[in-house]
Amino acid sequence: MFTWSFWILAIWFVVNAVWMWFDLDNQSLQKTFAYINVVAVIWGFWAFYGATPVDALNVWFQVLNWANVILAALQFYFGYRSSSHRTA
């Protein structure tokens, strides 16, 4: 469970981060991703502390969990900010 949870969350993190940065103006998408990321963070910490750890992934799993927390916070910021991001 530890290993497959790590890889699913790692793939989700990459897809989520790339998609987020290419569509910063879409507040609805940012909110949706932020809430999905909250579920991913809960799942990640639950798997990290609840499953038998794999030594090779132990540190990386913790890094991934905290990176998802930061990404979710950024997505909430971009999703709920009052002014929109416009480029010239």
Side-chain angles (χ1 to χ4, degrees), residues 1-8 10 48 52-65:
M1 180 174 149
F2 192 85
T3 303
W4 65 265
S5 291
F6 171 80
W7 287 112
I8 289 171
F48 181 79
T52 304
V54 175
D55 285 338
L57 294 177
N58 201 19
V59 172
W60 289 110
F61 205 153
Q62 188 131 11
V63 168
L64 179 64
N65 283 337

Side-chain angles (χ1 to χ4, degrees), residues 6-77:
F6 171 80
W7 287 112
I8 289 171
L9 290 172
I11 291 167
W12 164 249
F13 177 79
V14 170
V15 169
N16 188 9
V18 169
W19 201 343
M20 177 192 125
W21 287 113
F22 282 110
D23 203 5
L24 286 176
D25 291 335
N26 189 344
Q27 288 185 316
S28 175
L29 180 73
Q30 296 295 333
K31 290 176 192 176
T32 302
F33 276 175
Y35 284 111
I36 293 171
N37 222 7
V38 167
V39 173
V41 165
I42 292 169
W43 175 24
F45 279 109
W46 176 78
F48 181 79
Y49 290 110
T52 304
V54 175
D55 285 338
L57 294 177
N58 201 19
V59 172
W60 289 110
F61 205 153
Q62 188 131 11
V63 168
L64 179 64
N65 283 337
W66 286 108
N68 270 328
V69 169
I70 293 167
L71 187 62
L74 283 171
Q75 289 170 330
F76 277 119
Y77 169 74

